[in-house]
């Protein structure tokens, strides 16, 4: 079992914050998070690209290259693998592992709002595990994400898909949008691998999810959206002449987040 996989089998669930650039990942690691994920929305938005339409393959690889040797374990959100060809998805996984990623998220939701055939998604998972056996594959199904929350998610389809994915070799499974405790409990009874739930401010707390048996709790795009919201709020406060309150890292603290071995321009030569 890899060090990252082991984090899914401790007394407490893995709380995985999601970063969108080097500074956010380094700052989270400095707060004691042993593992950091990436958020596809944050990566896409920071690059001025749409999320979920396979437009960020290069941006995702470049970010993984910047983060892969950091003082934390890196899991990368790869949308649907940026291809419907299992061999191409496996090739992408090899590239990510080569720069230091220890895990990936792989989702079955499609840009048009439909779900990929379960058999195709299972084939992608199997191809990745064959190409990079040590890479932790967190297989995501969007049965609830694309529905209307717990009321719109088909639990039979969710269970069928997750069973196919774990049989294909997935190391964990992810159901964003699922938050009803009874449904989570019922689903856990059908699984052989750790269950990942997306934290929601309106859903169960981290301790409550832990009590249910959830083994991984992701923050998704929440941190990125909160950071963007804080920036907008701060600008609005300053424009209106009101005081700005709340913590903010100092210039020096942000400078301290540079990658090891990096040099300031005035130090070159």
């Amino acid at each position: 079992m890899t060090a990252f996989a082991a984090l899914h089998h401790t007394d407490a669930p893995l709380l995985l914050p999601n970063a969108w650039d080097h500074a956010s990942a380094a700052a989270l690691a400095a707060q004691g998070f042993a593992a950091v994920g990436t958020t596809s929305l944050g990566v896409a938005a920071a690059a001025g690209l749409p999320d979920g339409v396979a437009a960020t393959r290069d941006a995702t690889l470049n970010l993984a290259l910047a983060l892969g040797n950091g003082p934390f374990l890196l899991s990368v959100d790869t949308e649907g693998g940026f291809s419907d060809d299992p061999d191409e998805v496996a090739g992408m996984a090899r590239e990510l592992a080569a720069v230091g990623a220890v895990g990936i998220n792989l989702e079955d939701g499609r840009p048009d709002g439909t779900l990929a055939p379960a058999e195709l998604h299972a084939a992608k998972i199997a191809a990745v595990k064959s190409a990079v056996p040590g890479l932790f594959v967190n297989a995501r199904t969007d049965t609830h994400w694309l529905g209307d929350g717990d009321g719109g998610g088909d639990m039979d389809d969710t269970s069928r898909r997750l069973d196919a994915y774990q049989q294909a070799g997935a190391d964990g499974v992810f159901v964003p949008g699922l938050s009803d405790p009874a449904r989570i409990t019922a689903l856990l009874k059908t699984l052989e691998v750790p269950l990942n739930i997306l934290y929601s401010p309106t859903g169960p707390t981290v301790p409550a999810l832990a009590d249910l048996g959830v083994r991984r709790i992701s923050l998704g795009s929440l941190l990125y959206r909160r950071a963007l919201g804080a920036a907008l709020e701060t600008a609005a406060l300053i424009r209106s002449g009101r005081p700005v309150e709340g913590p903010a890292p100092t210039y020096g603290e942000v400078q301290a987040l540079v990658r090891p071995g990096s040099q300031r321009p005035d130090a070159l030569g």
Side-chain angles (χ1 to χ4, degrees):
M1 182 181 295
T2 66
F4 184 62
L7 293 177
H8 297 71
H9 299 278
T10 62
D11 292 338
L14 169 62
L15 178 61
L16 189 72
N18 299 81
W20 56 93
D21 61 9
H22 176 269
S24 57
L28 289 165
Q31 289 296 307
F33 289 97
V36 175
T38 65
T39 161
S40 66
L41 175 63
V43 173
L49 297 170
D51 182 34
V53 297
T56 58
R57 186 184 191 278
D58 290 344
T60 298
L61 288 171
N62 287 336
L63 181 57
L65 180 62
L67 301 182
N69 292 319
F72 52 84
L73 300 171
L74 175 65
S75 181
V76 178
D77 185 346
T78 64
E79 300 183 4
F82 307 114
S83 174
D84 272 345
D85 182 335
D87 289 337
E88 289 185 4
V89 176
M92 175 271 307
R94 284 194 196 93
E95 291 183 71
L96 290 171
V99 298
V102 297
I104 62 170
N105 269 17
L106 198 59
E107 65 195 52
D108 60 11
R110 285 181 154 170
D112 62 0
T114 64
L115 294 168
E119 297 75 13
L120 172 61
H121 201 60
K124 293 182 184 181
I125 294 164
V128 170
K129 292 302 294 184
S130 177
V132 197
L135 191 68
F136 190 103
V137 176
N138 197 40
R140 167 177 151 175
T141 185
D142 284 352
T143 50
H144 284 68
W145 195 245
L146 297 176
D148 298 319
D150 286 329
D154 185 331
M155 289 304 293
D156 289 338
D157 189 32
T158 299
S159 295
R160 180 180 68 84
R161 285 175 174 273
L162 295 187
D163 183 61
Y165 302 163
Q166 66 183 5
Q167 296 305 319
D171 301 285
V173 292
F174 185 20
V175 191
L178 176 62
S179 61
D180 179 70
R183 289 190 170 204
I184 292 173
T185 298
L187 184 60
L188 281 165
K189 294 177 181 178
T190 71
L191 297 176
E192 301 171 2
V193 298
L195 175 63
N196 183 185
I197 292 294
L198 181 68
Y199 172 80
S200 168
T202 60
T205 63
V206 167
L209 289 171
D211 288 343
L212 292 175
V214 173
R215 303 311 308 149
R216 174 166 161 176
I217 302 165
S218 297
L219 300 187
S221 65
L222 179 60
L223 299 183
Y224 177 78
R225 291 183 287 110
R226 291 275 295 179
L228 189 58
L232 295 172
E233 179 185 37
T234 300
L237 287 171
I238 294 170
R239 182 168 58 186
S240 66
R242 290 178 289 170
V244 175
E245 299 178 348
T250 66
Y251 179 88
E253 288 170 336
V254 175
Q255 278 284 74
L257 298 174
V258 299
R259 292 194 298 271
S262 297
Q263 292 180 300
R264 289 169 49 182
D266 61 5
L268 297 177

